[in-house]
Amino acid sequence: MTGLYRTLRANILDLERAFERGTLARRLEDPGLSRVLGPDLFAVYADLAGGRPPQDPVRRQQAVLTLLRQLCDEVFSVETWGEVRGPLRVGADPMDTVLDHGDPIPQRLDQVAARRFWGLGFVHEADVDATDSLARRSVRRGVVRFARDLRDVGRILRNPPQGVGIRIPSHEDRRFEQLMLDILVEDELCAHAARLIEDFCQKTDLRIRYPDLDRERGARVQIKSTANPAIHEERLAGIRRRETLVILTPLTLAQFVDEQVRAAPSERVLPPTDLRAFWDQLGEEPVELVELAYAIRAVLFRAIRSEFVDARGPMAAVPAALRHVIRVFVRERAFQSSSALRIYERSRAERRGTSPDETRQIG
């Protein structure tokens, strides 16, 4: 696998040099290149071949190198191996996965591929072809995201905001976000990482969909790991129409739990049994809201730093009751934020004298 990454990296850097020199079209004539890159990544460079060389080659080179490091960390750097038992199943059907001869843990194929982020890879216990298939799926998933991010880098650099650099989150920076994504898709594949350009321009880390949510591309989710109220506000201050996003942080989770405790029984979305399980698994019941936020944050970061206890990676170290609270919170806020978006669109339509459908945003 490391050999595959080195080959891929060398070809990408060679293509970047050709792009700077204006010789990209000729370089793409290599008949074996599309097989090395894959169709998505080859298409990115094919689209660049007919245009001008990069306007800011230094910034582009820095961005490409960061994306390559990210690809290596999240796909090719496997430190722990688990097993898949039984036939590979595509779609929503789970398979048994095992780590260190522990209990079998059912996981979907998309979840198995996503564990590569944490340096956790899987082999099939008795089928070499299935092992190869698992590896190819994980690599394809990472390369497709790399191609998508590389395309977005080009779009951003064509019209860069004044005085603003392209900050691509490192693997370390993205661990909290990935843990939240793992938790949200534990029971169903309802969320995915947002595009780099959405993160850069719209402060969107994830997109989440539910069958009855009035949002074609899914609700926007912004994730922060802070529990400090002052820092929390400072980091969210630049987000316009914040009410149209789901803000997922330890502080907003603590506020949600506090709201549920104080709400009348008929207004709660978390029944008393869920709240009792939450407090029992948290290990304490802080008096102050900020203390609760820090307690939630501590649990989540302990999980990120923990050794793997089963094939789910760090998510397994987050208490089940807290994982449930996170999913309920995000679902509630997804519907609330979508309603707020539609209210904003109607208001804007009234000001412009147009119909709401004409000003409707995918959001």
Side-chain angles (χ1 to χ4, degrees), residues 3-38:
L4 174 59
Y5 172 72
R6 284 196 293 268
T7 300
L8 187 63
R9 184 181 188 276
N11 277 279
I12 288 168
L13 295 180
D14 185 51
L15 288 168
E16 287 293 324
R17 287 190 291 269
F19 182 34
E20 290 182 28
R21 297 167 183 161
T23 60
L24 182 56
R26 187 163 65 250
R27 178 69 181 86
L28 290 174
E29 293 174 359
D30 181 343
L33 193 58
S34 61
R35 185 177 65 255
V36 173
L37 298 181

Side-chain angles (χ1 to χ4, degrees), residues 43-109:
V44 173
Y45 283 105
D47 289 343
L48 291 174
R52 298 177 180 177
Q55 295 173 298
D56 192 336
V58 173
R59 291 176 74 185
R60 181 178 173 89
Q61 182 186 59
Q62 291 172 342
V64 171
L65 289 173
T66 301
L67 289 176
L68 281 168
R69 285 193 296 271
Q70 191 182 91
L71 177 64
C72 182
D73 289 339
E74 298 178 10
V75 176
F76 294 96
S77 299
V78 179
E79 299 175 353
T80 305
W81 291 96
E83 287 185 352
V84 171
R85 295 178 178 174
L88 296 188
R89 296 190 177 96
V90 179
D93 293 331
M95 308 169 292
D96 281 341
T97 57
V98 178
L99 185 65
D100 293 335
H101 307 289
D103 294 332
I105 303 295
Q107 295 193 90
R108 303 182 307 271
L109 194 56

Side-chain angles (χ1 to χ4, degrees), residues 106-127:
Q107 295 193 90
R108 303 182 307 271
L109 194 56
D110 65 277
Q111 292 172 310
V112 170
R115 300 298 176 245
R116 283 288 182 117
F117 178 94
W118 303 106
L120 176 55
F122 289 88
V123 298
H124 195 277
E125 60 172 348
D127 189 336

Side-chain angles (χ1 to χ4, degrees), residues 48-333:
L48 291 174
R52 298 177 180 177
Q55 295 173 298
D56 192 336
V58 173
R59 291 176 74 185
R60 181 178 173 89
Q61 182 186 59
Q62 291 172 342
V64 171
L65 289 173
T66 301
L67 289 176
L68 281 168
R69 285 193 296 271
Q70 191 182 91
L71 177 64
C72 182
D73 289 339
E74 298 178 10
V75 176
F76 294 96
S77 299
V78 179
E79 299 175 353
T80 305
W81 291 96
E83 287 185 352
V84 171
R85 295 178 178 174
L88 296 188
R89 296 190 177 96
V90 179
D93 293 331
M95 308 169 292
D96 281 341
T97 57
V98 178
L99 185 65
D100 293 335
H101 307 289
D103 294 332
I105 303 295
Q107 295 193 90
R108 303 182 307 271
L109 194 56
D110 65 277
Q111 292 172 310
V112 170
R115 300 298 176 245
R116 283 288 182 117
F117 178 94
W118 303 106
L120 176 55
F122 289 88
V123 298
H124 195 277
E125 60 172 348
D127 189 336
V128 174
D129 290 338
T131 295
D132 289 343
S133 178
L134 288 169
R136 286 195 301 272
R137 285 177 181 274
S138 296
V139 170
R140 189 182 308 121
R141 179 178 180 272
V143 171
V144 167
R145 174 161 183 165
F146 175 86
R148 189 182 69 182
D149 288 348
L150 189 61
R151 190 179 294 278
D152 284 350
V153 162
R155 293 171 63 188
I156 294 168
L157 286 177
R158 280 198 293 272
N159 296 289
Q162 289 294 325
V164 179
I166 298 181
R167 184 186 178 280
I168 299 173
S170 67
H171 179 70
E172 187 82 7
D173 293 336
R174 290 181 54 195
R175 293 187 307 164
F176 189 82
E177 176 187 321
Q178 184 64 41
L179 179 60
M180 294 298 99
L181 179 56
D182 289 348
I183 291 170
L184 290 173
V185 301
E186 180 177 1
D187 298 326
E188 58 179 331
L189 184 55
C190 59
H192 64 273
R195 296 186 65 114
L196 180 63
I197 199 164
E198 289 182 289
D199 188 6
F200 186 78
C201 299
Q202 300 179 0
K203 307 297 183 183
T204 302
D205 294 316
L206 306 179
R207 288 276 186 172
I208 190 157
R209 294 188 182 96
Y210 301 103
D212 46 350
L213 182 69
D214 182 25
R215 206 127 167 198
E216 185 178 337
R217 288 163 57 197
R220 294 162 54 196
V221 183
Q222 167 68 202
I223 297 174
K224 299 291 184 187
S225 63
T226 183
N228 182 296
I231 297 175
H232 189 274
E233 182 58 33
E234 178 184 329
R235 290 181 178 174
L236 299 177
I239 299 179
R240 299 173 57 217
R241 297 191 296 278
R242 196 186 306 179
E243 72 281 0
T244 65
L245 281 77
V246 179
I247 307 296
L248 176 55
T249 71
L251 185 60
T252 57
L253 286 169
Q255 290 168 342
F256 174 66
V257 171
D258 185 63
E259 290 168 5
Q260 293 299 301
V261 170
R262 297 173 185 275
S266 61
E267 297 175 351
R268 291 176 180 169
V269 293
L270 286 174
T273 52
D274 288 351
L275 287 170
R276 278 198 299 272
F278 172 80
W279 294 122
D280 289 344
Q281 293 184 9
L282 194 66
E284 59 179 320
E285 189 169 341
V287 176
E288 297 292 335
L289 187 147
V290 175
E291 290 178 3
L292 175 57
Y294 275 105
I296 292 172
R297 185 181 189 277
V299 170
L300 296 171
F301 272 91
R302 276 199 302 270
I304 289 172
R305 293 189 294 265
S306 68
E307 294 185 7
F308 300 148
V309 296
D310 69 33
R312 292 170 294 179
M315 183 182 72
V318 179
L322 176 53
R323 302 200 306 266
H324 177 66
V325 166
I326 290 170
R327 287 192 291 270
V328 172
F329 166 77
V330 170
R331 182 180 175 88
E332 284 296 300
R333 293 298 189 263

